[in-house]
């Protein structure tokens, strides 16, 4: 059995369920909170803190949520396995520095992102779907531990999450000449991708040449290809979420959006939606999921194939999921478990159907929960990750 350091460089939604999973798997581990470095590649203070803690505690391997190049450097220097499991997509990294150390085991939940890194020549990146804690979410969603909740958390249709933003995308276009070929090219890509839900085409069509011309025309000298792709993904996601929420007006007059980032313009566009403050991940969110007839979950568009954590948490909370069709989701779930759309029109039709058919919807909820129990338990996933990394729990 090896001794594991769970190094928490930021607070993630998965921290508590990961710690619980380590305990269930009877792992020999310590967890410690650190600060989030401004430079994820180089911070001498954090580097020395990690080195000291690893040596003083006889640590054999290090685990983090998301990949941190600085941690990879520490483990590489000490010849220790570094296991990183990302719940963000894409990774917010400017370069691939430190990613191909032989001590790395980097797990990403989006298979298409893994394939992209492999095309770039990286061999230490592996695919691993996310997981949740259905026992905990079932308990919390039932309201057994919600005595402190003082506000309404029920509605027929709900969406928990941010809208993202159109600001950076619009600012980029405004800074480009109106007759710019690449301005038209990007607009055309956005139009095509907006109507294509089950395949993410943007990374293949934004190459270094396009990025170089956008940088020249906008003056954004530090813009990278991956940043440009993410900026476009944010904008299309923003359009998706506004469109889906506006469509609910014709389905129900009891729709709630839980978010902390909604401006006055968006409130005006969503005048029929009850906009509420964001919810606590463990004490309130599961309750919202279980007590909504339909939980909307339009995916961040740059998640090309993977299953986002929010989808799993909805189903783990005995909530009914309505989302865009993701290819990895279709590997585990079907129309007997949740509702998946491939167009805005289909999303509207599915909302209309499931809001009226309680029995069918409730059967889907039970089917989905059973599949979460069977294939997406956090303790099972942690055990699998360490086995694949050749580290004994």
């Amino acid at each position: 059995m090896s001794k594991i350091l769970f190094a928490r460089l930021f607070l993630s939604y998965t921290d508590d369920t990961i710690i619980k999973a380590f305990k269930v798997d009877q792992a020999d581990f310590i967890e410690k909170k650190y600060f989030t470095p401004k430079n994820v590649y180089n911070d001498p203070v954090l580097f020395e803190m990690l080195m000291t803690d690893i040596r003083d505690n006889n640590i054999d391997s290090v685990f983090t949520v998301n990949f941190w190049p600085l941690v990879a450097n520490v483990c590489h220097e000490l010849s220790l396995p570094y296991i990183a499991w990302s719940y963000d997509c894409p990774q917010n990294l400017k370069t691939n520095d430190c990613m191909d150390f032989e001590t790395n085991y980097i797990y990403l939940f989006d298979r298409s992102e893994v394939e992209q890194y492999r095309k770039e020549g990286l061999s230490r990146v592996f695919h691993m779907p996310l997981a949740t804690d259905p026992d905990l979410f079932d308990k919390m969603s039932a309201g057994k531990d919600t005595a402190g909740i003082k506000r309404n958390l029920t509605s027929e249709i709900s969406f928990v999450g941010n809208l993202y933003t159109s600001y950076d995308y619009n600012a980029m276009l405004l800074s480009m000449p109106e007759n710019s070929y690449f301005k038209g090219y990007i607009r055309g890509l956005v139009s095509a991708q907006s109507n294509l839900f089950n395949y993410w085409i943007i990374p293949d069509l934004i190459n270094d040449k396009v990025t170089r011309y956008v940088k020249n025309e906008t003056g954004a000298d530090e813009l990278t290809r991956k940043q440009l792709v993410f900026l476009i993904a944010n904008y299309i996601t923003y359009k998706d979420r506004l469109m889906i929420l506006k469509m609910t007006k014709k389905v129900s007059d009891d729709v709630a959006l839980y978010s902390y980032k909604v401006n006055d313009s968006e409130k005006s566009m969503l005048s029929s939606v009850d906009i509420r403050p964001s919810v606590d991940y463990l004490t309130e969110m599961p309750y919202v999921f279980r007590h909504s007839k339909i939980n909307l979950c339009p995916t961040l568009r740059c998640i090309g194939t993977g299953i986002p954590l929010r989808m799993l948490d909805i189903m783990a909370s005995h909530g009914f999921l309505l989302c865009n069709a993701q290819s990895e989701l279709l590997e585990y779930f079907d129309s007997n478990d949740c509702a998946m759309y491939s167009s805005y029109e289909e999303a509207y039709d599915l909302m209309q159907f499931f809001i009226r058919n309680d029995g069918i919807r409730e059967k889907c909820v039970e089917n989905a929960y059973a599949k979460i129990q069977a294939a997406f338990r956090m303790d099972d996933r942690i055990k699998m990750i360490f086995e694949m990394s050749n580290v004994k729990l």
Side-chain angles (χ1 to χ4, degrees), residues 37-103:
K38 291 182 179 179
N39 184 340
V40 299
Y41 297 91
N42 181 31
D43 188 299
V45 174
L46 182 56
F47 187 93
E48 287 304 318
M49 288 175 67
L50 286 163
M51 292 285 271
T52 298
D53 287 340
I54 289 169
R55 287 168 173 157
D56 288 353
N57 293 281
N58 298 313
I59 296 297
D60 299 303
S61 63
V62 178
F63 176 90
T64 64
V65 174
N66 292 355
F67 173 75
W68 301 86
L70 185 148
V71 181
N73 261 320
V74 172
C75 292
H76 181 62
E77 184 165 323
L78 296 173
S79 298
L80 294 180
Y82 171 40
I83 302 168
W85 187 22
S86 180
Y87 83 137
D88 283 334
C89 180
Q91 296 189 104
N92 186 23
L93 298 172
K94 291 184 177 180
T95 72
N96 295 343
D97 293 352
C98 308
M99 287 189 69
D100 218 23
F101 290 152
E102 69 278 2
T103 46

Side-chain angles (χ1 to χ4, degrees), residues 188-208:
L189 289 184
V190 168
S191 178
Q193 183 68 79
S194 294
N195 294 301
L196 187 62
F197 285 84
N198 53 4
Y199 189 69
W200 177 231
I201 63 173
I202 301 298
D204 293 329
L205 299 173
I206 295 290
N207 54 29
D208 291 336

Side-chain angles (χ1 to χ4, degrees), residues 139-261:
K139 176 183 176 183
M140 299 306 294
S141 66
K144 296 175 183 177
D145 287 346
T146 56
I149 294 177
K150 304 296 184 182
R151 59 181 174 130
N152 180 22
L153 295 176
T154 65
S155 61
E156 284 197 326
I157 300 176
S158 69
F159 173 54
V160 176
N162 294 323
L163 297 175
Y164 284 91
T165 179
S166 63
Y167 176 79
D168 292 336
Y169 174 83
N170 289 331
M172 176 187 70
L173 290 188
L174 284 171
S175 65
M176 299 173 74
E178 190 56 42
N179 62 349
S180 164
Y181 168 82
F182 288 95
K183 186 174 188 174
Y185 180 78
I186 290 172
R187 281 175 168 164
L189 289 184
V190 168
S191 178
Q193 183 68 79
S194 294
N195 294 301
L196 187 62
F197 285 84
N198 53 4
Y199 189 69
W200 177 231
I201 63 173
I202 301 298
D204 293 329
L205 299 173
I206 295 290
N207 54 29
D208 291 336
K209 179 182 179 181
V210 174
T211 306
R212 185 168 62 253
Y213 274 92
V214 171
K215 286 167 65 174
N216 290 339
E217 292 184 349
T218 61
D221 295 334
E222 296 184 358
L223 182 72
T224 67
R225 186 189 71 84
K226 289 181 179 179
Q227 288 172 331
L228 179 55
V229 169
F230 187 63
L231 183 151
I232 294 171
N234 271 2
Y235 175 67
I236 299 175
T237 304
Y238 175 78
K239 288 180 57 183
D240 283 347
R241 295 184 174 186
L242 279 178
M243 176 69 75
I244 296 294
L245 283 166
K246 286 193 287 186
M247 283 171 21
T248 62
K249 182 177 182 179
K250 298 180 179 179
V251 180
S252 172
D253 58 4
D254 185 15
V255 181
L257 165 64
Y258 298 88
S259 181
Y260 63 91
K261 289 183 179 180

Side-chain angles (χ1 to χ4, degrees), residues 1 8 15 66 71 75 77-78 111 119 122 158 174 190 192 210 243 254 267 278 282 287 294-295 307 353-354 369 388:
M1 179 182 291
R8 300 170 64 183
D15 284 356
N66 292 355
V71 181
C75 292
E77 184 165 323
L78 296 173
R111 186 182 288 122
K119 289 178 183 177
L122 296 174
S158 69
L174 284 171
V190 168
V210 174
M243 176 69 75
D254 185 15
K267 290 177 181 177
S278 57
L282 282 180
Y287 191 87
I294 295 175
N295 292 281
I307 309 174
F353 177 81
F354 282 104
Y369 182 79
M388 288 181 60

